Amino acid sequence: MHKNCTVNMHRNCKVNSKQFKESKLAHHLLDDLKGIEIGGSFHNPFCLNTINVDYTNEMTVFKEIEKNITGNAVNIDVVAPGDKLPFPNESQDFVISSHVIEHFYDPIKAIQEWLRVVRKGGYVYMIIPHRDRTFDKDRDRTRLSELIDRHEKSNQTNSNDAHSHQTFWTTEDFLELCKHFNWKVFAVQDVDDKVENGFTIVIQKN
């Protein structure tokens, strides 16, 4: 599987002038490692050695955006829910995502799942849209108490809508979430070094 993903990695990188720039921080931390990307896209590549996981291989609105921008779409290696991954515990060096975590009704569950599959010392690397720098700027910030309430009730509801933002954060809001769950924050960028309308949080597994 890694062999196929390495081929995909090279094919998706630096082949189209409409692709977004890569993240220097991601390369600094994750080059020479192997991991999982949740919801990868051709127009927003990380150019790392990753297995691309998505919840469907059908043509979604996101795949249409990819093709409209670049004329192509990234290959999906594994079809699975992003918060229920078919990988053993501590089997990956990292999990990476860009503008994905906000689509989960229960982001706590998703992050806990990503930490499950990452080895000790490995990383969960997230670029997250900043509420004030996106079309969500007029939405109320999502409180920590609401996220905890969702997490406690997530097994009783089916509120996921993969096409819509479920949560609206500032950098400080997300750091509060990390502090509450004692997730070790390894690196923070208040303005991400990729698309620059979000922020970057890197959690290292203890």
Side-chain angles (χ1 to χ4, degrees), residues 13-91:
C13 291
K14 298 181 180 178
V15 299
N16 193 305
S17 62
K18 295 182 180 179
Q19 288 174 301
F20 298 157
K21 66 182 179 181
E22 299 168 39
S23 165
K24 291 182 180 179
L25 178 62
H27 279 297
H28 175 71
L29 293 178
L30 308 177
D31 276 355
D32 302 321
L33 301 180
K34 295 181 180 180
I36 297 166
E37 182 170 2
I38 309 294
S41 61
F42 192 86
H43 63 286
N44 190 21
F46 281 101
C47 297
L48 300 167
N49 191 359
T50 52
I51 301 166
N52 185 31
V53 176
D54 214 323
Y55 70 96
T56 181
N57 58 10
E58 297 178 358
M59 182 57 66
T60 65
V61 62
F62 305 114
K63 293 301 175 189
E64 290 176 356
I65 290 171
E66 281 186 78
K67 289 203 168 183
N68 287 339
I69 293 175
T70 65
N72 209 335
V74 70
N75 282 357
I76 297 169
D77 300 304
V78 175
V79 176
D83 56 2
K84 191 175 182 182
L85 299 174
F87 300 97
N89 294 349
E90 300 187 359
S91 60

Side-chain angles (χ1 to χ4, degrees), residues 90-164:
E90 300 187 359
S91 60
Q92 307 296 322
D93 295 323
F94 65 89
V95 173
I96 193 166
S97 66
S98 177
H99 290 245
V100 169
I101 190 63
E102 69 279 3
H103 291 274
F104 290 95
Y105 172 76
D106 183 2
I108 296 169
K109 177 183 176 184
I111 294 169
Q112 289 176 338
E113 175 70 349
W114 299 351
L115 286 167
R116 177 189 69 79
V117 303
V118 168
R119 62 168 171 80
K120 289 182 173 127
Y123 304 98
V124 171
Y125 188 111
M126 296 169 284
I127 296 179
I128 303 153
H130 193 292
R131 188 208 62 167
D132 298 341
R133 295 195 289 269
T134 67
F135 53 78
D136 291 327
K137 61 185 178 180
D138 294 325
R139 305 294 296 266
D140 291 335
R141 291 159 60 180
T142 306
R143 295 172 298 172
L144 175 61
S145 58
E146 179 182 342
L147 294 177
I148 294 170
D149 186 58
R150 288 188 206 170
H151 183 59
E152 291 173 349
K153 296 177 179 178
S154 63
N155 291 329
Q156 306 169 27
T157 185
N158 186 23
S159 298
N160 274 344
D161 177 1
H163 293 167
S164 299

Side-chain angles (χ1 to χ4, degrees), residues 1-15:
M1 184 177 294
H2 283 305
K3 181 179 179 182
N4 291 336
C5 294
T6 302
V7 172
N8 291 341
M9 174 185 67
H10 291 304
R11 191 189 66 212
N12 293 336
C13 291
K14 298 181 180 178
V15 299

Side-chain angles (χ1 to χ4, degrees), residues 163-179:
H163 293 167
S164 299
H165 290 187
Q166 305 282 316
T167 308
F168 315 99
W169 281 296
T170 66
T171 313
E172 293 76 15
D173 296 331
F174 204 93
L175 289 172
E176 182 185 20
L177 174 65
C178 293
K179 181 177 181 181

